[in-house]
């Protein structure tokens, strides 16, 4: 076991409140491309950042909806990987040890839930939809095999994925929970995120300003000087190691 892994284990053993923020990298080993990976196939000439916005949807709703239908098809059969399972085990372990382990994700997939974790989603849900005009949740069936636009039964406007797009506010309840958990924690762990997108990227700074130790798990670390322990490995390898040592 490396020194860094041992340091992380000691920090987690001694912590009472642990806050964990995950990003697209945790689902990479399940076969879901990360957000900033180059896109493939039909969409290889587009940047995800240019499609995930209200401007793009207003300009060309069919194109944005088709991209999400494509992503849904890409994600629908994917399974949680050892990183998701290890976090679910750690959350259970926390309960038996009188620790709180708050899990917050920027991901819109549901692999944390599938693994059995309780998780707060900051950027919405790939499988939920709402009206682009009146904001009403859309409960009807969506046929993922085709990309025809769907109209809101209340106001006729187009239905869109219930996902936070660039320039939009985060859901207030989820954001308040994330801020509180970050401010209260002794150890904050960032996993598989490039930490480029705010406000989520600011949570580790908030935790640090309140005295928490920061751990980063990333295949290509961010070189943030605030981080105390960097584990430059695949999440699906290092998290099972941490969980095996702690449980
Ligand atoms: N294990 C750990 N880290 C990994 C792995 C892996 N197996 N594979 C990739 N990574 C890391 C990459 O090095 C990168 O730093 O995961 C990170 C993924 O970064 P992004 O694609 O930028 O994803 P994320 O940080 O989640 O993006 C944040 O941006 O566009 C928005 O709303 C979107 O939620 C998304 C947000």
């Amino acid at each position: 076991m490396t020194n860094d892994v041992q340091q992380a284990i000691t920090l987690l053993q001694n912590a009472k409140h642990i806050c964990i923020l995950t990003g697209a990298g945790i689902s990479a080993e399940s076969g879901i491309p990360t957000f900033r990976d180059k896109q493939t196939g039909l969409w290889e000439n587009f940047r995800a950042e240019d499609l995930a916005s209200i401007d793009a949807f207003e300009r060309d709703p069919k194109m944005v909806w088709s991209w999400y239908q494509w992503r849904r098809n890409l994600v629908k059969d994917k399974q949680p990987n050892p990183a998701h399972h290890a976090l679910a085990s750690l959350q259970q372990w926390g309960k038996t040890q009188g620790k709180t382990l708050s899990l917050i994700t920027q991901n819109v997939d549901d692999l944390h839930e599938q693994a059995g974790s309780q998780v707060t989603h900051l950027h919405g849900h790939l499988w939920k939809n709402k009206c682009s005009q009146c904001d009403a949740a859309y409960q009807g069936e969506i046929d993922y095999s085709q990309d025809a636009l769907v109209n809101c039964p209340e106001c006729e406007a187009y239905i869109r994925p219930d996902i936070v797009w660039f320039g939009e506010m985060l859901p207030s309840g989820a954001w308040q929970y994330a801020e509180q958990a970050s401010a209260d924690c002794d150890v904050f762990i960032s996993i598989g995120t490039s930490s480029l997108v705010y406000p989520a990227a600011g949570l580790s700074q908030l935790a640090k300003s309140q005295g928490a130790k920061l751990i980063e798990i990333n295949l290509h670390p961010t070189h943030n000087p605030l981080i105390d322990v960097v584990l430059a490995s695949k999440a699906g390898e290092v998290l099972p190691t941490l969980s095996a040592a702690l449980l």
Side-chain angles (χ1 to χ4, degrees), residues 22-26 28-29 34-37 49 106-107 123 164 166 191-197 217-222 233-236:
T22 65
I26 197 166
E29 290 159 76
T34 68
F35 218 76
R36 283 166 184 78
D37 277 345
E49 294 94 318
Q106 300 167 85
N107 298 343
H123 291 170
V164 179
F166 285 102
I191 305 173
T193 174
S194 56
S195 300
L196 291 172
V197 174
I217 299 175
N218 196 315
L219 200 50
H220 307 291
T222 56
S233 311
K234 288 185 173 179

Side-chain angles (χ1 to χ4, degrees), residues 43 56-69 146-149 158:
W43 296 95
F57 188 76
E58 279 171 0
R59 216 171 26 244
D60 194 342
K62 181 83 196 278
M63 181 172 79
V64 174
W65 182 253
S66 304
W67 181 60
Y68 277 102
Q69 292 291 78
Q146 52 122 326
D147 45 19
L149 285 161
Y158 291 131

Side-chain angles (χ1 to χ4, degrees), residues 170-219:
L170 270 50
S172 61
W175 178 245
Q176 273 170 20
Y177 174 81
E179 274 194 316
Q180 193 71 52
S182 305
D184 288 350
C185 71
D186 317 303
V187 175
F188 184 100
I189 318 180
S190 293
I191 305 173
T193 174
S194 56
S195 300
L196 291 172
V197 174
Y198 283 79
L203 291 171
S204 61
Q205 291 156 32
L206 171 62
K208 186 80 179 190
S209 72
Q210 301 298 306
K213 294 287 186 190
L214 304 188
I215 300 174
E216 176 176 40
I217 299 175
N218 196 315
L219 200 50

